[in-house]
Amino acid sequence: MDIVSKNGNLLLNIGPRSDGTIPEEVQQVLRDVGSWLKVNGEAIYGTRPWRVYGEGPTKVIEGAFHDTDTQSYTPEDFRFTTKAGILLRH
């Protein structure tokens, strides 16, 4: 949600083994993302970012390769997108 609210795209680096199979751990990640999208897909598909990407106490460290430096988000953190002229808060 954080990425989409900043007009970004999530890139999943999923590669099969040399025999074409996908490791079980990677399959589970894909299943988890799919489950999350079933619940939250309305906030992702067909949306655009809002002027302000988000609010809350967690500080996001900007720049490349800092995604693991950001603390875990809390229930007080939320993000914004728009769809069909309607502001969505997540």
Side-chain angles (χ1 to χ4, degrees):
M1 194 64 247
D2 183 64
I3 294 167
V4 172
S5 71
K6 294 185 270 189
N7 200 28
N9 295 298
L10 176 63
L11 175 63
L12 294 175
N13 188 5
I14 305 293
R17 295 183 177 126
S18 60
D19 65 358
T21 61
I22 298 175
E24 178 57 39
E25 303 83 34
V26 175
Q27 290 182 42
Q28 187 58 50
V29 169
L30 293 172
R31 284 191 286 276
D32 291 346
V33 170
S35 295
W36 187 88
L37 284 169
K38 282 182 184 177
V39 173
N40 300 288
E42 181 183 21
I44 301 296
Y45 298 117
T47 63
R48 301 295 302 152
W50 179 244
R51 298 187 290 259
V52 178
Y53 79 91
E55 294 182 9
T58 303
K59 300 301 175 203
V60 177
I61 299 173
E62 297 180 12
F65 307 108
H66 288 288
D67 54 327
T68 58
D69 296 336
T70 299
Q71 299 173 355
S72 296
Y73 295 109
T74 69
E76 290 82 32
D77 294 298
F78 49 93
R79 301 294 179 252
F80 302 105
T81 56
T82 62
K83 188 175 202 174
I86 299 170
L87 178 65
L88 306 169
R89 180 183 133 187
H90 319 282

